[in-house]
Amino acid sequence: MKGAVGRICGDASPTEFSFIVFDPKSVRHTDYIKAWNDVDGWVMAQVVDIKATSDISESEILQGRNVEKELYLAKAVVIGKRDERGMLRIPKTPFVPGENVFKAEEDLVVDVLGLEKDGIYLGLLDDTQIKVNLDLNSFVQKHCCILAKTGSGKSYTAGVIIEELIEKGAPLFIIDPHGEYATLKEPNRNEGELERMEIFGVKPKGYSNVMIYVPPNSPFVDRADGVLKLDGTNLTAEEIVELAGITSSTSQALLYQAIKNLKDRNYTIEDVIQEVESIKHNAKWALLGHLEKIVEAGLFNENPTPVNALLQKGKAIVLDMRGIPPEHQDLIVSRICHKLFELRKRDDVPAGMIVLEEAHNFIPERGMGKAVSTPVLRTIASEGRKFGLGLMVISQRPARVDKNVISQCNTQIILRVTNPNDINAIKRGVEGLTAEMVDEVRRLPPGTAIVVSPELERPVIVSVRVRKSMHGGQAVNIIEKKRGFFKAGKKDKKKDRGLKKREKSFFEKMFG
Ligand SMILES: Nc1ncnc2c1ncn2[C@@H]1O[C@H](COP(=O)(O)OP(=O)(O)O)[C@@H](O)[C@H]1O
Ligand SMILES: [Mg+2]
């Protein structure tokens, strides 16, 4: 029969069958195919295995290949067909040996898998021209995670999704520890990527509705659109301990005492200092030193940036925290997310999404580190969707991210992962991944993702599209290498200043 790629053979059931492949080059692992079922008509299946066999004897093998006698046998698992109500139906009667097998056409694949006609365009279904669009609302409001080892395309994929969300007008707040997202403003100029744009049907584009905020102690204040000044009132003792790195238990005890004395009113860090000064204890001087350092860092301001500026209709706000110490980053994230969630609950900011890069630093798995931002992020993960506040959690160490947070994510995007602990975390946290898919995760080439979502009937393999805007990841790597290089000679102030100059001119060349 015309167009057939194979024929069913051997034992066939309603849920799986094997077929002889006519042309071994035309049928591949993970291909979508269709076969006729006497009761249900055309039903879609997926190739899960292909084997080459031959019935020539071992002595004949010594003569070399005998193409006439080669046989290619594929195994297919039935996915089903949509009934009149749009429900997926798996046949109850077996497929019949001798029936022809065909490639599934685009409409059938889109319909059976549950892909959207419109939505967040992530890329092409592996080895096809079929666009993978994900449902916008479920994406923004029900959390998503992107997990993969370093260099496999997490930030790039996040960039693709962010572009789509910006175009749909979804308010975004992007927590960017490495300063990789400022380049969303610039159209893609990467030659290799420009060449591949036609395949994906995209054109270069920069986004002018992206705004870059930096903390006041950032080395990049001069090129930001705004400085994020934090409200420093009523810092908890835990926050101060982490912020200042206070390890001495005596200092901690004095701090708890001082804050307890202040408890009934709103207090600033200066009030805490005054309170500690009034304590009669020799250990107070060490504590005061720590507290002064917090003041000097200049994170806090009497006129803090209104947090409702960070989640706005039609805007993506990037909080670029490059060059900010981790303990400051953690506190900033904690304070901002806490306030954003409060505002969202009162409907004082629109529904939107918080993008969290390096999530393992902010919501570590229990027993794998501590962060003051953890409680609020856990709350947003478990309650955010009720209030229309979504999270996009990105991490290269799935095993080190709070596993509850990963399992709360509706859409899970997994790129290449090889570390056995991380693979185990993915097996635990991602429902619906078969053992075969888990094996696949180890082999995924860069830029290829497995996407799991309740809206999709099966996990799908997606070749992530090229970015319309410039990807910032690579540029940052170069800057960080330079910084690392100069760290060795840190005592030399001249060199330090030289570094700042170099970073500036480099940045300006790239993005300025
Ligand atoms: N879908 C893609 N298309 C083209 N290049 C990609 C794609 N995904 C990743 N890359 C390339 O791989 C590099 C590493 O990706 P990146 O997202 O920065 O990795 P990480 O997982 O460490 O965040 C990028 O600089 C980019 O060149
Ligand atoms: Mg990255």
Side-chain angles (χ1 to χ4, degrees), residues 154-155 180 357:
K154 287 180 305 296
S155 306
E180 292 172 279
E357 267 275 3

Side-chain angles (χ1 to χ4, degrees), residues 122 148-158 160 180-181 190 193 196 200 357 394 396 415 446-448 463-467 471-475 477:
L122 188 61
K149 67 188 278 179
T150 307
S152 18
K154 287 180 305 296
S155 306
Y156 196 99
T157 306
V160 166
E180 292 172 279
Y181 293 93
N190 180 305
E193 291 174 32
R196 293 173 63 231
F200 293 97
E357 267 275 3
I394 305 166
Q396 69 260 29
L415 296 109
T448 305
S463 175
V464 177
R465 73 161 170 79
V466 287
R467 293 252 322 241
H471 174 52
Q474 279 164 325
N477 287 342

Side-chain angles (χ1 to χ4, degrees), residues 38 273 376:
D38 286 343
I273 291 177
V376 63

Side-chain angles (χ1 to χ4, degrees), residues 299-332:
L299 280 178
F300 305 112
N301 196 284
E302 278 168 31
N303 302 307
T305 310
V307 173
N308 58 8
L310 303 181
L311 206 57
Q312 294 184 48
K313 280 226 161 70
K315 284 227 171 96
I317 309 291
V318 177
L319 176 58
D320 179 345
M321 295 199 285
R322 192 160 29 128
I324 306 295
E327 59 277 15
H328 289 192
Q329 293 195 12
D330 185 20
L331 184 90
I332 294 168

Side-chain angles (χ1 to χ4, degrees), residues 99 127 134 217 234 238 267-268 357 365 377 400 461:
E99 278 290 351
D127 276 338
L134 302 170
N217 55 343
N234 302 342
E238 288 82 5
Y267 58 86
T268 61
E357 267 275 3
E365 171 66 326
L377 291 169
R400 292 180 175 269
I461 299 179

